[in-house]
Amino acid sequence: MKNDLIDFQAIGDERGYLVSFEAKRNIPFDIKRVYYIYGMNDKPRGFHAHKKLQQFLVCVSGSCKVLLDNGQDKKEYVLNQRNQGLIVKEMIWHEMYEFSEDCVLMVLASDFYDESDYIRQYEVFKSLIERETLEFREYDRATLECSYSWLNDPEIKFLTMTPDFTKESQENWFVSLKKI
Ligand code: TYD
């Protein structure tokens, strides 16, 4: 979750400041929707991830905190700069909290509102992330050794209904795999 916070140029003079966002120029996606939340009464919000949607959060008034969680690491951000925004990419669990009374959190989004893009249960989010990070490896000798001890563990042996086997028969099976 590096480089999630982006600083923007605030064009300023004695009349005040101006910050501008442009799709695919200083915002990394096409902006299809803008919404903002306010009057939160310090009640936390969010608690979901999106399957595809990318969002950009700017606290245009007051302050709040945002927790980002990619399923492996969590990071908390404080949003209190008018010329700073936080990217929330797809498949990032996010929670917003500690809103100041005057907090207005503006969100630029890469797509229209679509409830089917939401993942609202943390356990579902975690299992989807784990599925994405599953690594396929070639079956090697180290795995063979490990599987011999796993499959001879009485509980695993019972649950997987593995018949008795020897290291020699396992080796033959391993060699037969290479012929496929
Ligand atoms: P939700 O995204 O759950 O809010 P938060 O993440 O801030 O807790 O949205 C709250 C409600 O508003 C929900 O019923 C969906 C609706 N909604 C829209 O109709 N359009 C939108 O653009 C958004 C973001 C939400």
Side-chain angles (χ1 to χ4, degrees):
M1 285 186 288
K2 284 180 196 154
N3 308 323
D4 291 325
L5 269 184
I6 300 180
D7 288 309
F8 291 91
Q9 188 197 1
I11 305 161
D13 55 35
E14 65 284 357
R15 300 168 301 159
Y17 295 93
L18 185 151
V19 176
S20 113
F21 303 116
E22 296 184 298
K24 291 200 166 160
R25 287 192 169 170
N26 58 3
I27 298 293
F29 50 78
D30 266 328
I31 302 159
K32 283 205 182 156
R33 176 168 51 115
V34 178
Y35 64 91
Y36 51 89
I37 56 172
Y38 59 97
M40 280 71 89
N41 290 319
D42 212 18
K43 297 267 182 352
R45 299 192 63 130
F47 298 90
H48 60 252
H50 287 282
K51 293 174 195 161
K52 290 194 179 140
L53 189 75
Q54 296 188 45
Q55 302 196 96
F56 187 73
L57 278 50
V58 187
C59 200
V60 290
S61 167
S63 65
C64 70
K65 286 185 179 168
V66 183
L67 181 90
L68 298 190
D69 175 354
N70 63 10
Q72 269 143 5
D73 301 311
K74 294 179 186 191
K75 199 166 169 186
E76 185 186 70
Y77 295 87
V78 179
L79 298 188
N80 58 6
Q81 307 282 318
R82 310 296 153 244
N83 65 328
Q84 194 175 60
L86 182 66
I87 286 279
V88 182
K89 292 195 179 137
E90 70 281 2
M91 293 306 283
I92 299 285
W93 186 265
H94 51 285
E95 300 172 7
M96 293 91 83
Y97 46 91
E98 289 187 33
F99 300 103
S100 64
E101 244 181 69
D102 57 345
C103 180
V104 180
L105 185 64
M106 181 185 75
V107 183
L108 313 181
S110 65
D111 215 336
F112 303 119
Y113 170 71
D114 175 8
E115 185 59 38
S116 72
D117 187 63
Y118 280 71
I119 303 163
R120 291 194 184 271
Q121 283 148 308
Y122 190 73
E123 288 315 313
V124 174
F125 164 71
K126 278 290 274 187
S127 64
L128 288 172
I129 288 287
E130 273 156 26
R131 211 167 67 186
E132 269 181 16
T133 51
L134 253 187
E135 195 189 329
F136 287 93
R137 292 177 38 190
E138 197 174 334
Y139 210 89
D140 59 11
R141 194 151 292 278
T143 322
L144 193 73
E145 291 290 330
C146 288
S147 77
Y148 185 82
S149 29
W150 296 328
L151 292 173
N152 279 299
D153 174 277
E155 204 176 338
I156 297 176
K157 192 171 159 68
F158 172 74
L159 288 171
T160 56
M161 296 188 286
T162 303
D164 289 338
F165 65 100
T166 61
K167 282 209 166 182
E168 195 190 348
S169 63
Q170 193 198 23
E171 175 81 33
N172 289 342
W173 171 79
F174 180 56
V175 172
S176 75
L177 281 183
K178 293 188 169 176
K179 291 179 189 150
I180 297 172

